[in-house]
Amino acid sequence: MICRSTLVALLLLTTMGQAQAYSYAAAGKEPLIDAREQLLTAASEGQDASAVLAGLTEELGYLEQHHKVVLQAPLAEAIKAKDVAATQTLLNRAYKAEIERRLEGAGQNLGDYQTAKVLVVKSKRFLDLILPALSEADRKAADGALAKVLEAIGNPGVFGVGAKTADPEAFKAAEQELMTVLAPL
C-alpha cells in the first residue's frame, strides 16, 4: 500500500512538473512581430499604416531610447514611399535590437533559469524573422550562437539530476558572437 501511494505521489509530481516546464513556451503578444505583415503589406500596396505604427510607439520608442536605433520616422517614410526593402531593413533592425534586449535581460537573470530561458526563447522568435536576410553561413552561425546562449543559461535538471549551473562567461561570449553576426543589419 505504501509503495502504491508513493508511486501515485511521484506520478502526480512528475505530471505537475511537466505542466510547469512547458509554461514558458507560451507565445504571448509580440507587437513588433504581430504587425510585421501589416507593415510590409502597407509598404507594398501604399496603404496608410499610421494606425499600425501608432500601436508600436511604445515598443519602437523603447528601442530607440535604449538601443540607439532610429526606427519610427524612417519606418513611416519607407511605408509612405512604398519601399518594401527599406521597411524590411528597418524591421530587421528593430528585431536585432529586440534580440539584444532579451539577451541582456537573460544575462541579468542567469540565476533564474525560467526567466532566462523565456527571454532566450523569445529572442529566437525575432531571430527567425531576421534569418532570411542573412547569408547561409551567417544563418548557421547565428543559430549556433543562439544555441550556445541557451546552453550557457544552464539547466535545473529533473529533480536536480543532470543540473548544470549557468556559465556567465560562456553566455557573454555566445551573446557577443550572435550580435557580431547580426551587426551588418
Side-chain angles (χ1 to χ4, degrees):
M1 188 65 147
I2 292 175
C3 290
R4 181 181 234 179
S5 49
T6 303
L7 183 61
V8 170
L10 283 175
L11 183 61
L12 287 173
L13 285 173
T14 304
T15 305
M16 289 188 323
Q18 286 176 345
Q20 291 175 346
Y22 289 99
S23 65
Y24 70 84
K29 294 276 184 197
E30 290 294 348
L32 286 173
I33 292 174
D34 296 341
R36 180 177 186 272
E37 288 305 316
Q38 291 175 307
L39 294 174
L40 291 173
T41 300
S44 67
E45 297 176 7
Q47 298 172 353
D48 179 19
S50 56
V52 177
L53 288 172
L56 299 174
T57 301
E58 183 178 341
E59 288 80 11
L60 294 175
Y62 179 89
L63 295 175
E64 287 181 334
Q65 181 180 1
H66 297 282
H67 293 277
K68 309 302 182 223
V69 291
V70 180
L71 297 166
Q72 293 183 77
L75 198 49
E77 290 172 23
I79 292 169
K80 186 175 183 179
K82 297 183 185 179
D83 190 342
V84 177
T87 302
Q88 182 65 57
T89 298
L90 289 162
L91 287 172
N92 285 345
R93 283 188 195 142
Y95 298 155
K96 177 182 140 192
E98 278 291 346
I99 292 167
E100 183 178 44
R101 174 180 166 223
R102 305 300 167 101
L103 294 183
E104 283 175 1
Q108 293 168 359
N109 287 287
L110 285 178
D112 179 356
Y113 173 77
Q114 281 297 93
T115 300
K117 184 155 186 178
V118 167
L119 292 168
V120 172
V121 168
K122 284 191 174 197
S123 71
K124 173 70 170 134
R125 292 182 66 202
F126 289 100
L127 180 62
D128 287 344
L129 293 171
I130 291 175
L131 289 177
L134 302 174
S135 70
E136 181 64 29
D138 284 346
R139 281 193 290 267
K140 287 180 181 177
D143 272 336
L146 193 62
K148 290 177 191 175
V149 166
L150 192 56
E151 185 178 323
I153 65 172
N155 188 330
V158 178
F159 299 115
V161 176
K164 181 180 166 193
T165 59
D167 184 346
E169 299 301 320
F171 180 90
K172 194 67 179 162
E175 177 186 19
Q176 182 58 45
E177 182 181 334
L178 176 59
M179 296 318 293
T180 299
V181 172
L182 300 180
L185 296 176

